[in-house]
């Protein structure tokens, strides 16, 4: 059962980790911004969170469009980021510290909620802000779906539920609680909410390394343990593309529920790794090892071999959801090769001790052991 791992991964992809803003992320082309016309009028945007991963991408794109941004958070993650942006300090949980006090009596055009995981907490902020804002965007997750074994799920598919809707065990009930958060926001501001369900969010500043593992490993070259038969689908979205689409959707006052992942065309694991090899100028040689062998040798999808889920597994739909609705609403993507190159460039700016300890992916030693066992099982004397 991979559900817990998938939920955990989605949680950390939403920006709960604490990376800083990167030069690599700022310099890459923002296709959506270039294609979009200027907004009709500057907006006052409140971001709940805003200082890690997706948050900075939202701030940068919004400011590039001429909008005024205010951040509300605890002031603990990257407090020095964006020194010229208004920052309000408090806690999403109204029962902790000063709670939402800093938001009282203030008015904004738009709220973007990047940090909601508990329905009670989302309900509190949405109800407080409802009389004072026009539009509320909630960043949810494709982990909300009940039957993740099915591929091509669209926004009408059933969502996960929990026996006790008052539970706040996020790690145990991540998807169901995200679904309840969506409902809480909509109940507080009916007809004014955009619920965005991203897949795996990737790119520069992603501290989880669940995507970063691949450009780092492929760039290192040599024989690479590649999972499955190469035909499993892969989906992810660059945080900068997601941020751009959210801000443009806010400008258009888009409401409703949207799956938001990519790329536009179906992508298989073999296509992804070959793109990485070409983009990074690597001499990597991919050895495809079937999922049964990997399971036997305790190599796990999504953690040991990140971004990968066998298409026949209980979570096989996590890398192939329908994004037709978001595409029709203007979601676009930079080339995967650009995300790969930018992510590697960012990773190489990190301290050497951080680069030496990837937070996801199989270790080099373990990879060699599994490859040797695979070749032995196939009657080969040596790896490669």
């Amino acid at each position: 059962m991979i559900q817990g791992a998938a939920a955990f991964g989605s949680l950390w992809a939403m920006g709960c980790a604490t990376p800083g803003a990167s030069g690599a992320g700022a310099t890459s082309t923002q296709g959506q911004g270039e294609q979009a016309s200027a907004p009709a009028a500057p907006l006052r945007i409140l971001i709940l969170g805003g200082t890690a991963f997706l948050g900075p991408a939202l701030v940068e794109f919004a400011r590039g469009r001429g909008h005024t941004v205010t951040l509300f958070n605890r002031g603990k993650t990257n407090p020095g980021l964006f020194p010229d942006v208004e920052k309000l300090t408090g806690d999403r949980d109204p029962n902790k510290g000063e709670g939402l006090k800093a938001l009282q009596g203030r008015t904004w055009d738009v709220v973007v909620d990047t940090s909601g995981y508990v329905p009670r907490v989302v309900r509190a902020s949405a109800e407080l802000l409802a009389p004072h804002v026009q539009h509320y965007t909630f960043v949810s997750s494709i982990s909300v779906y009940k039957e993740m074994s099915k591929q091509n799920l669209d926004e009408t598919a059933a969502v996960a539920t929990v026996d006790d809707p008052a539970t706040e065990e996020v790690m145990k009930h991540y998807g169901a609680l995200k679904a309840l958060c969506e409902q809480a926001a909509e109940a507080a501001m009916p007809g004014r909410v955009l619920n965005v369900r991203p897949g795996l969010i990737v790119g520069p500043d992603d501290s989880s390394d669940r995507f970063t593992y691949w450009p780092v490993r492929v760039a290192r070259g040599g024989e690479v343990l590649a999972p499955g038969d190469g035909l499993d689908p892969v989906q992810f979205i660059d945080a900068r593309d997601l941020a751009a689409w959210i801000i443009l959707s806010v400008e258009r006052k888009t409401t409703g529920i949207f799956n938001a992942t990519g790329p536009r065309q179906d992508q298989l694991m073999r296509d992804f790794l070959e793109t990485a090899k070409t983009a990074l100028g690597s001499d990597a040689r991919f050895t495809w090892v079937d999922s049964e062998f990997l399971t036997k040798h305790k190599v796990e999808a999504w953690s040991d071999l990140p971004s990968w889920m066998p298409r026949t597994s209980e979570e096989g739909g996590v890398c192939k959801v329908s994004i037709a609705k978001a595409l029709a609403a203007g979601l676009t993507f930079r080339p995967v090769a650009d995300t790969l190159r930018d992510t590697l460039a960012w990773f190489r700016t990190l301290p050497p001790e951080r680069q030496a300890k990837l937070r996801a992916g199989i270790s080099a030693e373990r990879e060699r052991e599994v490859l040797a066992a695979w070749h032995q099982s196939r009657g080969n004397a040596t790896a490669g």
Side-chain angles (χ1 to χ4, degrees), residues 3 117-120 123 143-146 158-181 183:
Q3 186 173 8
Y117 303 97
V118 175
R120 173 183 61 84
R123 184 179 304 109
S143 292
V144 299
Y145 292 114
K146 181 179 181 179
V159 297
T161 58
V162 61
D163 291 337
D164 178 12
T167 182
E168 298 188 359
E169 295 183 79
V170 175
M171 297 308 299
K172 185 176 181 180
H173 303 292
Y174 177 77
L177 290 179
K178 274 288 192 179
L180 289 173
C181 287
Q183 296 164 27

Side-chain angles (χ1 to χ4, degrees), residues 260-334:
T261 187
R264 173 180 291 272
Q265 304 296 333
D266 288 348
Q267 176 180 229
L268 302 179
M269 193 70 193
R270 67 183 182 191
D271 302 326
F272 170 58
L273 292 187
E274 288 296 337
T275 297
K277 178 178 178 177
T278 300
L280 303 175
S282 170
D283 67 355
R285 307 184 311 279
F286 301 117
T287 297
W288 296 93
V289 177
D290 67 58
S291 58
E292 292 79 7
F293 186 91
L294 293 173
T295 298
K296 179 181 177 181
H297 286 77
K298 297 180 170 35
V299 178
E300 296 186 1
W302 205 257
S303 55
D304 291 325
L305 295 171
S307 309
W308 169 69
M309 189 65 64
R311 58 190 181 279
T312 57
S313 71
E314 293 182 13
E315 299 289 332
V318 74
C319 287
K320 192 170 173 41
V321 300
S322 172
I323 58 171
K325 186 177 179 183
L327 292 176
L331 179 61
T332 63
F333 312 94
R334 72 196 64 222

Side-chain angles (χ1 to χ4, degrees), residues 41-257:
L43 298 172
R44 296 164 298 167
I45 300 177
L46 170 66
I47 298 178
L48 304 180
T51 56
F53 197 23
L54 177 60
L58 286 163
V59 173
E60 290 172 358
F61 191 83
R63 297 179 77 196
R65 298 281 289 166
H67 304 307
T68 300
V69 175
T70 299
L71 303 181
F72 174 79
N73 52 58
R74 293 176 299 173
K76 295 182 178 181
T77 300
N78 298 324
L81 198 60
F82 304 122
D84 55 343
V85 169
E86 181 185 27
K87 299 180 179 70
L88 303 178
T89 304
D91 200 295
R92 291 295 309 271
D93 191 331
N95 299 328
K96 294 182 179 179
E98 293 294 312
L100 301 170
K101 184 177 180 181
L103 302 180
Q104 295 176 358
R106 295 290 303 270
T107 299
W108 290 273
D109 299 305
V110 170
V111 179
V112 180
D113 184 346
T114 69
S115 57
Y117 303 97
V118 175
R120 173 183 61 84
V121 172
V122 172
R123 184 179 304 109
S125 58
E127 289 180 349
L128 173 67
L129 292 165
H132 308 290
V133 301
Q134 301 172 15
H135 188 278
Y136 195 106
T137 293
F138 178 70
V139 179
S140 185
S141 168
I142 60 169
S143 292
V144 299
Y145 292 114
K146 181 179 181 179
E147 299 182 272
M148 287 307 301
S149 62
K150 296 183 177 180
Q151 295 189 351
N152 297 310
L153 292 173
D154 66 17
E155 293 82 357
T156 66
V159 297
T161 58
V162 61
D163 291 337
D164 178 12
T167 182
E168 298 188 359
E169 295 183 79
V170 175
M171 297 308 299
K172 185 176 181 180
H173 303 292
Y174 177 77
L177 290 179
K178 274 288 192 179
L180 289 173
C181 287
E182 294 179 3
Q183 296 164 27
E186 182 64 30
M189 299 180 62
R192 293 188 283 158
V193 177
L194 169 64
N195 278 308
V196 180
R197 295 174 177 171
L200 181 64
I201 307 176
V202 306
D205 298 329
D206 174 16
S207 69
S208 76
D209 292 345
R210 286 169 308 112
F211 175 88
T212 306
Y213 168 81
W214 289 113
V216 170
R217 177 62 191 92
V218 172
R220 193 165 75 237
E223 186 183 23
V224 176
L225 174 59
D229 58 5
L231 300 180
D232 294 310
V234 182
Q235 282 185 314
F236 49 77
I237 186 166
D238 191 303
R240 297 163 295 179
D241 293 332
L242 178 60
W245 182 73
I246 287 174
I247 296 301
L248 295 176
S249 296
V250 161
E251 293 175 2
R252 296 189 288 260
K253 299 182 179 179
T254 303
T255 59
I257 301 172

